[in-house]
Amino acid sequence: MADVLPLVEARLRTALGEPDARAAVTFLGTDRIEVLRFSDGDVVRYATLGMSAQPMADPTAVLADPVKGPRAELVLSVRRGVADTDKVLRPLAVLAASPQVEGVVVAPGASLDVGGPLWPGAPFTSVLVAESGGLVEDLELDAPADPVRFLPLLPMTANEAAWKRVHGAQALQERWLTQGTDLRDPVRRSVSLN
């Protein structure tokens, strides 16, 4: 099967425009992960490139299928100029490498934790993985390969992450929606969880 990364980058460029910056991170024993930055007015978007090179494998499978299996890239959108969000590049690359390093399958509804602030002073150490298909349309690949999904990441405070573990992703998203939470605000406070 042809290398999917040029197709993935082309889809990102079609949806988000030309990247104005890119950085690459390589972790021992993993493929290179790039993070591309796209500016759109007062919003900056960070998208991974490299996570979808291989399908994510079920950690309980004896042998990983080299073609079949879910593929994804991660997209984070935040307001520009409020915080030093460019420091999110390494944490995003860590999250994108987690299927190779830890054997996890990243899917909507999952929580991903980086163990520290997403950027300096950020009130978030984890993200909620949202449904694909909104900002960047899924990329269909030749059968039998699964499509590449572009999964939005929604930063969560520690309280929100704990509440989500008890009540579920859908309940947290409904709480955000009913309280008019600006999920792109890089310094927002935790939503009221009473």
Side-chain angles (χ1 to χ4, degrees):
M1 188 172 126
D3 184 9
V4 302
L5 296 184
L7 302 173
V8 170
E9 185 169 354
R11 176 58 53 95
L12 286 168
R13 287 173 183 266
T14 300
L16 304 176
E18 288 299 311
D20 60 7
R22 66 191 310 146
V25 179
T26 304
F27 303 100
L28 187 63
T30 67
D31 295 329
R32 172 181 157 127
I33 302 287
E34 287 189 87
V35 179
L36 283 59
R37 184 182 71 192
F38 300 87
S39 296
D40 182 16
D42 71 336
V43 174
V44 62
R45 301 182 199 288
Y46 302 93
T48 63
L49 179 63
M51 182 177 168
S52 62
Q54 303 294 327
M56 292 181 272
D58 180 344
T60 62
V62 176
L63 198 58
D65 190 310
V67 178
K68 287 199 226 171
R71 294 176 190 254
E73 295 291 352
L74 308 174
V75 180
L76 174 70
S77 300
V78 291
R79 297 228 177 275
R80 172 193 298 287
V82 181
D84 187 10
T85 57
D86 278 351
K87 299 283 197 265
V88 77
L89 301 178
R90 186 165 180 79
L92 268 183
V94 167
L95 295 178
S98 62
Q100 289 181 58
V101 175
E102 300 171 24
V104 298
V105 175
V106 177
S111 299
L112 303 175
D113 195 299
V114 295
L118 288 173
W119 51 82
F124 319 107
T125 61
S126 62
V127 293
L128 175 65
V129 181
E131 291 287 341
S132 68
L135 186 62
V136 183
E137 191 177 321
D138 294 347
L139 173 65
E140 296 295 329
L141 300 175
D142 294 337
D146 290 14
V148 176
R149 305 201 184 286
F150 298 88
L151 302 171
L153 300 180
L154 308 175
M156 292 188 293
T157 66
N159 286 345
E160 290 168 341
W163 196 85
K164 181 252 176 198
R165 282 191 292 277
V166 174
H167 299 281
Q170 184 64 37
L172 179 59
Q173 288 179 302
E174 287 171 10
R175 183 64 56 112
W176 282 335
L177 189 61
T178 57
Q179 295 188 25
T181 307
D182 180 4
L183 296 174
R184 293 179 180 167
D185 181 353
V187 293
R188 74 172 178 83
R189 297 188 185 280
S190 184
V191 71
S192 173
L193 300 170
N194 298 330

